Amino acid sequence: MSAEPVGASGTESPDPLKVIRTREYTVLLIMVAALGVPISAAAFGFLALVHEIQSLTYEDLPRALGFHGTPSWWPVPLLAVAGVLTGLTIRHLPGTGGHRPAEGLSAGGAPTAAELPGVALAALASLGLGVVLGPEAPLIALGGGLAVYAARLLKPGIAPSAGAMVAAAGSFAAVSALLGSPLLGAFLLMEASGLAGMMLGLVLVPGLLASGIGSLIFVGLGSWTGLGTYSLTLPHVPHTPQPTFAEFGWAVALGAAAALAGTGIKKLSLLLQGRVEQRRVITTVVMGLAVGVLALLYAESTGRDASEVLYSGQDDLGGLLAQDATYTVATLLVLILCKALAYSASLSAFRGGPIFPAMFLGAAAGLVLSHLPGLNATSGFAMGIGAMCVAMLRLPMTSVLLATLLLGSEGITVMPLVIVSVVVSYVLVLRLERPSADPSTAPR
């Protein structure tokens, strides 16, 4: 193995085929296979803990205090507590709680062992108490960090290039089943990290091995514990007919609208992030209160549950499509507005991933447009997911796969429409973007 990371500045990249044929690479695969089991089990435990905290704070605690159900105002103090805990964790523990989600999805360097507690605690405080973010970014960081830490314990002299591949494989294992398919999770990490060419194969083999093992562990633990796999799945997808010319027109319109909305959300979150990092704890509490108030406004104005604005939206995607008839256009518009603003506030101050809220917002927007002539609900749902995901993530291939594989067999039918909406959104987002200062120079 090279003594420097693959592609490091000033070094010559190794021949991937020669590396794959070496004994060291075989040893690396064995190490990855061994580490994939405990890391994927730890990821499953993390997701289970997040779910339990959500149930405890939003359902069990109000009943224990004598309320019949959860009051619509309950998220306001809950999110204030989330702001205190997350702000203190980011300020005082090493690593600033991990990746800042307003800057997109990063599959960069793994956190050090000293930074892992801060990443875990910031994510648990954010996700468990209702912040509008998903678990994928913390899982990527925790999986990579745990893998590198374990590899260095097993082999103290491991080369940096081998350590980088172990970190990538740990991230693969951690998100292996989260998106509904180990292949989709692997593809997400490959596109996010910018791997290409033959060097892709060098990192891909251990990554896919860890991803496959991780998926098996998720399925086994889900069956053994009865908790499920915490995987993104839709229980029922309505049939959709073959695409029409009118729907291709809607794909263009939806792609353009998603690009404008996604750019607005991202710019607002980055603007707020600059303010938050000037006075971390106080402003994080303010952002938490804003999310709670938005959930309260939605519940009071529509008569629906405030939880539809809270959390990542991963668990609500299936119900959103299956129960589309129970939502009026006005309710969906209020939901989109409140969730989008809560999403921006969450991105600016808390810790988590940007994927699932983007999927939920895009799906809701597609369902709104399906009330107009020429667009059925399933097609609008899928196109909205793809267009909003690429607007927030800038990952076009992953966005297409997220929107189509989620729908099972119906995804093949709507794929041409999704591709059009994703391409339109992606190209327009790149046109709307303006060069900005390096976010790493922002004050902490």
Side-chain angles (χ1 to χ4, degrees):
M1 291 285 183
S2 169
E4 296 292 336
V6 172
S9 177
T11 64
E12 182 179 354
S13 297
D15 182 348
L17 291 179
K18 290 183 179 179
V19 173
I20 291 174
R21 295 188 186 107
T22 63
R23 177 179 177 275
E24 290 80 2
Y25 191 77
T26 303
V27 172
L28 176 66
L29 290 180
I30 296 173
M31 180 185 297
V32 164
L35 292 178
V37 175
I39 289 173
S40 54
F44 182 91
F46 176 83
L47 292 173
L49 183 56
V50 169
H51 179 75
E52 289 302 313
I53 294 173
Q54 290 174 350
S55 297
L56 175 66
T57 56
Y58 196 79
E59 297 174 4
D60 298 341
L61 186 56
R63 293 192 183 96
L65 294 175
F67 294 103
H68 298 288
T70 304
S72 57
W73 52 262
W74 186 258
V76 179
L78 200 64
L79 269 297
V81 173
V84 172
L85 296 176
T86 305
L88 290 174
T89 299
I90 293 173
R91 168 171 284 186
H92 295 293
L93 292 184
T96 65
H99 173 67
R100 292 178 285 191
E103 295 165 14
L105 185 67
S106 172
T112 64
E115 294 171 345
L116 289 175
V119 173
L121 290 174
L124 288 172
S126 297
L127 305 178
L129 297 180
V131 167
V132 187
L133 294 171
E136 66 280 359
L139 284 179
I140 290 170
L142 292 170
L146 287 172
V148 172
Y149 177 66
R152 287 173 178 166
L153 288 178
L154 295 173
K155 190 176 181 182
I158 188 170
S161 57
M165 282 189 279
V166 169
S171 296
F172 276 56
V175 298
S176 57
L178 183 64
L179 300 174
S181 165
L183 185 60
L184 182 51
F187 201 99
L188 167 70
L189 288 169
M190 289 185 290
E191 193 172 19
S193 61
L195 296 170
M198 279 301 296
M199 205 55 64
L200 170 62
L202 186 64
V203 183
L204 176 60
V205 175
L208 284 178
L209 176 61
S211 187
I213 291 173
S215 184
L216 289 174
I217 297 300
F218 266 66
V219 172
L221 287 176
S223 175
W224 178 58
T225 62
L227 297 175
T229 61
Y230 302 106
S231 173
L232 179 62
T233 57
L234 296 183
H236 173 69
V237 178
H239 174 70
T240 180
Q242 292 296 319
T244 65
F245 285 110
E247 287 181 324
F248 277 101
W250 281 119
V252 174
L254 193 50
L260 294 172
T263 300
I265 290 171
K266 195 171 186 68
K267 287 185 175 181
L268 177 58
S269 65
L270 289 171
L271 176 65
L272 292 172
Q273 177 179 271
R275 306 294 188 272
V276 166
E277 293 185 344
Q278 293 173 8
R279 301 187 68 184
R280 164 58 64 183
V281 178
I282 293 176
T283 49
T284 303
V285 173
V286 171
M287 291 298 104
L289 287 171
V291 175
V293 169
L294 287 164
L296 171 61
L297 290 174
Y298 172 73
E300 291 296 316
S301 61
T302 64
R304 300 188 69 94
D305 199 313
S307 64
E308 294 182 9
V309 171
L310 303 177
Y311 308 116
S312 68
Q314 173 188 352
D315 296 334
D316 294 328
L317 273 173
L320 188 66
L321 180 59
Q323 302 172 22
D324 174 43
T326 68
Y327 290 88
T328 66
V329 172
T331 297
L332 285 172
L333 289 174
V334 174
L335 175 60
I336 291 169
L337 177 61
C338 290
K339 188 113 181 167
L341 293 174
Y343 185 27
S344 293
S346 299
L347 287 167
S348 71
F350 292 91
R351 293 298 183 258
I355 295 179
F356 294 116
M359 294 178 69
F360 186 92
L361 286 171
L367 292 178
V368 168
L369 293 181
S370 71
H371 287 267
L372 298 174
L375 180 64
N376 73 78
T378 303
S379 298
F381 182 88
M383 289 189 295
I385 288 176
M388 185 57 75
C389 279
V390 80
M392 295 303 300
L393 305 178
R394 287 24 174 203
L395 305 176
M397 292 297 292
T398 297
S399 299
V400 171
L401 291 176
L402 277 170
T404 53
L405 294 183
L406 178 64
L407 300 180
S409 60
E410 300 299 328
I412 302 299
T413 303
V414 301
M415 185 178 286
L417 299 172
V418 172
I419 291 173
V420 172
S421 67
V422 166
V423 169
V424 170
S425 180
Y426 183 59
V427 172
L428 187 53
V429 161
L430 296 182
R431 294 291 298 270
L432 292 171
E433 279 185 335
R434 293 289 183 269
S436 58
D438 185 356
S440 65
T441 63
R444 298 272 174 183

